[in-house]
Amino acid sequence: DAEITQSPRHKITETGRQVTLACHQTWNHNNMFWYRQDLGHGLRLIHYSYGVHDTNKGEVSDGYSVSRSNTEDLPLTLESAASSQTSVYFCASSEPETGNEQYFGPGTRLTVT
Amino acid sequence: AQSVTQLDSQVPVFEEAPVELRCNYSSSVSVYLFWYVQYPNQGLQLLLKYLSGSTLVKSINGFEAEFNKSQTSFHLRKPSVHISDTAEYFCAVSSSGYSTLTFGKGTMLLVSP
């Protein structure tokens, strides 16, 4: 069955370190998204991609970057982790043909100390 | 710009009682509307969606939502809830022609015996 996976599931890092969160999907979807989920804020869009070599900034992109070198993967990099980036991060993918329905990964819980 | 308002952050209800989770949106163009459910420590799962056609859409587990264009609402209802329905529910909107979703802040449904 097609799926979307994220790794690691849990990560603790120190302020100032670079961190990369992985997202891999086997749906063969062109669209991929990264969100962060915080209490009281719901899900907020960080970055998204409509295909290989395409990336776009979302609502809360400062301090984050993504790159898309193939269809399956969209890694999220925190260039210099800050305590404000402690959150749960979700990756999702979709195709326009299904009405923009997004399929979500299980999430990565990141703690920045 | 589009936005989603979920009017209740938490809805407590007794098992077998009816429930309504409210969602209002704002958008200047045609929209697609979604309800997602998130169980503890999991990713989001699509519950139901409105793309076009009949304004009443239903899920396989007894939830339904009605698209009301004049009131810009997409409220979620279930006539009789179960303990297993305890979860957080997110309303989301997408403008036709665009693939990004805007989420509400979520409503926690708490079902007690």
Side-chain angles (χ1 to χ4, degrees):
Chain A
D1 287 348
E3 61 177 355
I4 181 165
T5 57
Q6 295 183 234
S7 62
R9 294 294 312 276
H10 301 271
K11 174 79 175 177
I12 300 175
T13 191
E14 295 177 345
T15 301
R17 289 190 178 269
Q18 184 181 80
V19 177
T20 297
L21 309 182
C23 174
H24 179 81
Q25 53 101 359
T26 57
W27 292 99
N28 200 34
H29 287 162
N30 283 313
N31 302 337
M32 294 185 72
F33 309 85
W34 273 104
Y35 296 89
R36 60 178 289 174
Q37 183 178 26
D38 304 287
L39 200 62
H41 290 277
L43 277 81
R44 292 181 290 176
L45 184 63
I46 304 172
H47 281 286
Y48 57 102
S49 168
Y50 289 151
V52 176
H53 302 311
D54 176 74
T55 62
N56 305 278
K57 294 182 178 180
E59 178 189 356
V60 290
S61 60
D62 287 349
Y64 303 94
S65 64
V66 294
S67 63
R68 186 93 179 267
S69 59
N70 59 51
T71 300
E72 297 80 18
D73 300 289
L74 186 69
L76 177 71
T77 297
L78 287 69
E79 304 292 345
S80 176
S83 58
S84 60
Q85 294 176 309
T86 292
S87 185
V88 180
Y89 291 86
F90 288 99
C91 181
S93 69
S94 75
E95 276 295 341
E97 287 75 19
T98 58
N100 299 332
E101 171 185 344
Q102 293 186 10
Y103 296 79
F104 281 80
T108 294
R109 183 175 296 276
L110 177 68
T111 302
V112 183
T113 61
Chain B
Q2 56 197 20
S3 65
V4 176
T5 302
Q6 291 184 243
L7 298 167
D8 304 297
S9 60
Q10 194 167 294
V11 173
V13 64
F14 289 109
E15 193 174 20
E16 298 183 7
V19 70
E20 179 180 81
L21 306 184
R22 296 179 291 171
C23 172
N24 288 89
Y25 69 92
S26 67
S27 177
S28 58
V29 297
S30 297
V31 295
Y32 300 146
L33 292 158
F34 305 83
W35 276 101
Y36 282 85
V37 59
Q38 184 181 33
Y39 299 102
N41 299 313
Q42 294 187 25
L44 278 71
Q45 304 171 31
L46 182 71
L47 190 58
L48 46 75
K49 62 184 178 183
Y50 169 78
L51 303 181
S52 65
S54 173
T55 57
L56 182 66
V57 292
K58 299 184 179 184
S59 73
I60 59 173
N61 58 351
F63 283 94
E64 63 180 36
E66 186 158 20
F67 170 54
N68 188 319
K69 187 174 182 179
S70 63
Q71 297 187 5
T72 60
S73 68
F74 191 56
H75 301 331
L76 182 69
R77 301 182 181 94
K78 189 171 185 180
S80 176
V81 296
H82 302 290
I83 297 286
S84 60
D85 292 325
T86 294
E88 189 151 26
Y89 293 78
F90 291 93
C91 182
V93 63
S94 170
S95 298
S96 59
Y98 295 88
S99 294
T100 59
L101 295 181
T102 299
F103 285 86
K105 293 183 178 181
T107 297
M108 186 68 202
L109 176 62
L110 297 167
V111 183
S112 55

